[in-house]
Amino acid sequence: MNKSWWKILAIVLVLFSIIGGFLFHVPAKPILNESIRNIHFHVPMWFAMITMLAVSFVYSIKYLNKGNENDDLMAVESANVGIVFGILGLITGMIWANFTWGEPWSNDPKQNSSAIALLIYMAYLVLRNSMDEEQKRGKISSVYNVFAFPIMVVLLFVLPRMTDSLHPGNGGNPGFNTKDMAPELRPVFYPACLGWILVSLWITNLRFRIRKQENLNS
Amino acid sequence: MKKFLFVICFLCLTAASIFAQGSSEVEMATELRSSGKIYVVVAVLAAIFIGLAFYLFSIDNRLKKIEKQQK
């Protein structure tokens, strides 16, 4: 994890997505116009959030299995970074929606459920910070986290796709379905997602190491 | 012969109308890009991101020093 090649890769991928996302050809569609380029910046925020929350889920299970305190710290810090990226995803989505759907919040099923998912994870942080004793805190918050992750997956990937949504990809995954996304967007979109996932992993890694130092000193 | 000419004219007209639709239907920022100014925005964003990346690296290095001191 302390090797720097993947950090450089993260920067190169995101830089490529900034350059390609602005300059490459995109399909011309009414209403969307040039704002389709947002797909290279708004959607990767959610990919990063989901990956960090998955990391948090895995480390919570690890903590419950082995009881190693570092696993608990990793679970908290990845959830922290995941929430930050989720908030960025909400804000960028609201800006985009304001100009394409007419209002920042149109009670779209995916908007609502992503807000609920974020609240569930904020409750995780509140729950964790409300306890002082380390083992009790670690165990209770890990159990909560293990339940929170599948609820988040259902809220973001299952429920919105069972009803009509303004988001593309009802009944499928718009990122990977050949019909839902124009092929010329993909060479920029996938590197952008991977790049932002790596950036979020990097920030999580930094926060985890700081937390570990704080833990040693206290 | 008349019929043939008629068909040719008809085809040309439909083709023209299709091209006209294609060019005027959706407003894109082609002019913005052709005038070259969009590169300025890309350069600014790239500069911001590179700056942030260096900042992250410097935080990383500082942490490494602290971790070494602890050991």
Side-chain angles (χ1 to χ4, degrees), chain A residues 27 95 149-150 155 163 180 190-191 204:
Chain A
I95 296 169
F149 183 71
L155 276 170
T163 54
D180 282 331
Y190 293 140
T204 303

Side-chain angles (χ1 to χ4, degrees), chain B residues 20-65:
Chain B
Q21 260 180 4
S23 63
S24 66
E25 211 174 41
V26 181
E27 193 182 334
M28 300 298 271
T30 356
E31 243 166 69
L32 185 70
R33 258 197 308 288
S34 66
S35 69
K37 294 291 193 315
I38 193 74
Y39 296 101
V40 181
V41 184
V42 176
V44 166
L45 270 177
I48 289 174
F49 185 71
I50 290 171
L52 279 177
F54 271 108
Y55 187 53
L56 269 179
F57 264 118
S58 80
I59 295 173
D60 210 321
N61 283 335
R62 245 171 92 182
L63 242 179
K64 263 181 201 158
K65 262 184 206 160

Side-chain angles (χ1 to χ4, degrees), chain B residues 1-14:
Chain B
M1 194 60 199
K2 250 185 183 174
K3 239 181 191 175
F4 181 69
L5 269 177
F6 177 76
V7 169
I8 292 283
C9 280
F10 181 74
L11 278 178
C12 283
L13 277 175
T14 42

Side-chain angles (χ1 to χ4, degrees), chain A residues 125-143:
Chain A
L125 294 183
V126 173
L127 176 75
R128 196 176 184 283
N129 288 331
S130 66
M131 284 175 276
D132 283 329
E133 199 206 321
E134 277 162 27
Q135 285 212 331
K136 192 172 149 196
R137 178 177 67 193
K139 268 185 190 157
I140 292 177
S141 62
S142 292
V143 170

Side-chain angles (χ1 to χ4, degrees), chain A residues 2 4 7-8 11 14-15 18-19 22-23 26-30 33-34 37 202 206 209-210 213 217, chain B residues 26-30 33 38-39 41-42 45-46 49-50 53-54 56-57 59-60 63-64 66-67 70:
Chain A
N2 282 333
S4 56
K7 295 165 187 169
I8 294 166
I11 293 162
V14 174
L15 260 184
I18 290 173
I19 296 166
F22 273 98
L23 299 182
V26 292
K29 297 268 178 198
N33 304 59
E34 291 282 350
R37 295 177 191 278
W202 187 6
L206 283 175
R209 279 154 61 195
I210 292 172
Q213 292 301 319
N217 290 333
Chain B
V26 181
E27 193 182 334
M28 300 298 271
T30 356
R33 258 197 308 288
I38 193 74
Y39 296 101
V41 184
V42 176
L45 270 177
F49 185 71
I50 290 171
F54 271 108
L56 269 179
F57 264 118
I59 295 173
D60 210 321
L63 242 179
K64 263 181 201 158
I66 296 171
E67 278 166 346
Q70 285 283 352

Side-chain angles (χ1 to χ4, degrees), chain A residues 147-194:
Chain A
F147 280 98
F149 183 71
I151 294 171
M152 187 273 290
V153 170
V154 170
L155 276 170
L156 290 188
F157 296 105
V158 182
L159 293 179
R161 294 196 175 143
M162 292 172 73
T163 54
D164 273 337
S165 170
L166 289 163
H167 278 94
N170 291 314
N173 191 331
F176 299 100
N177 193 325
T178 43
K179 278 178 193 161
D180 282 331
M181 195 180 184
E184 59 251 63
L185 292 174
R186 288 163 198 271
V188 180
F189 176 68
Y190 293 140
C193 287
L194 185 62

